[in-house]
Amino acid sequence: MLILLAASCNNKDDRMLTVINEDGSCAREYTFHSTRQLLAIPLEEDYDSIVDKSWERSWSVGEHEQRHLVPLKDAEWDSIQATAPNDTLDNMLMVHVKKEYESVNDMSAQLYAPENSHLVKVEGIKAKSTLEKSFKWFYTDYTFSETFVYDGAPVFPVPLTRFLSADTAAYWFTGQPDLTRNLSGAELKEMLDDIDAKVCQWINANYFYETCNTIIAHYDSIQNPPVSKERFISMRDSLVMLPCVLNANDGFVWKNGVNVLDSLFLSESYSSFLKLYEEEPEGYAQLFSFSTTYDLKMPGTIVDAGMGEYDGEVIHYRLSGERLIPDTFTITATSRVTNIWAFIVTLLIIVLAIGSFLYQRKR
């Protein structure tokens, strides 16, 4: 699980840009690595099973470099080859695919993620968006929110709430609510070390639980088990909470709990079976493989960027599967558009009022 968590943070070049327009329409653009062969596909042909002719497509060498129209021509390829070695050039090619939507609901209903230079539908994670307009005469406020939730099959048989409070779990995985206010550096380190130790215990418990589940599912294949299947099932919940499981210094990876089982049951029956078993749980990978930088463009001036960082043009958030572990994860921001026409109308009313007053006095 720790490896998957680390891998989910390595997709730093993958980006998802959401653009909100004043009329309520919106657009979503995905940026991810591509190949020369895929970028050479003409616009009138589909890029993959999702990106068809309704998507805008462009490419660049590096994420923030100048964009070019698709397809990538041989002459363009020859010119950029002179600026980068062949072994690194393929890793620098980026594709930008953009689609317009009439509403934020339509956009969120189609959630995708890059995988092997293609877009794929995100499985197990759903999104729901809202866009609220608040008209205040001289200006209009726009508040956009998009909430992500994991609704796939249950992933963690041992709940996180057995180790951490709801607020502490939310802080660890999302940064909110902020529990560090008024803490000194030493106090902050002590708090984080304590949370980290409990999260590691939770991870150990879940992997050991998965190990026990594998044994139970194949109990008939185990030679000379020390206890009956029914007895092993009844012991599972207590086994995963044993100190020798929770506090394993090196943590548990798949099947590494076998030594604990050998010691507890004074038998190598379970470890002998697990050494021959190759499959690993798939639920963890499904959740943690989802990771991207979420960028948001709002109309007007940003009033509140929520948990994001505003660079003057775009608000940047981090979106990943691990942020959905405690509960839903919501990205929200508010911007303000000045209504120029309201100032003009107000000025005309004032001028007319003054003019009417002066006219009445002259009469």
Side-chain angles (χ1 to χ4, degrees), residues 202-220:
W202 171 67
I203 292 173
N204 287 349
N206 274 284
Y207 263 106
F208 197 74
Y209 198 103
E210 295 287 0
T211 301
C212 292
N213 280 351
T214 298
I215 291 173
I216 292 169
H218 301 86
Y219 215 84
D220 294 340

Side-chain angles (χ1 to χ4, degrees), residues 1-2 4-6 8-9 124-125 148-176 198-200 202-203 206-207 283-290 319-330:
M1 188 185 298
L2 292 173
L4 288 168
L5 282 170
S8 70
C9 298
I125 298 176
F148 298 85
V149 59
Y150 176 77
D151 71 339
V155 176
F156 305 106
V158 182
L160 183 57
T161 51
R162 295 181 68 175
F163 299 85
L164 297 173
S165 68
D167 282 349
T168 303
Y171 168 73
W172 183 257
F173 287 103
T174 71
Q176 296 293 329
K198 291 178 179 178
V199 170
C200 287
W202 171 67
I203 292 173
N206 274 284
Y207 263 106
Y284 301 139
Q286 182 183 14
L287 179 60
F288 290 128
S289 61
F290 179 62
L319 176 61
S320 60
E322 66 187 85
R323 285 169 168 79
L324 308 182
I325 291 176
D327 201 352
T328 60
F329 181 72
T330 300

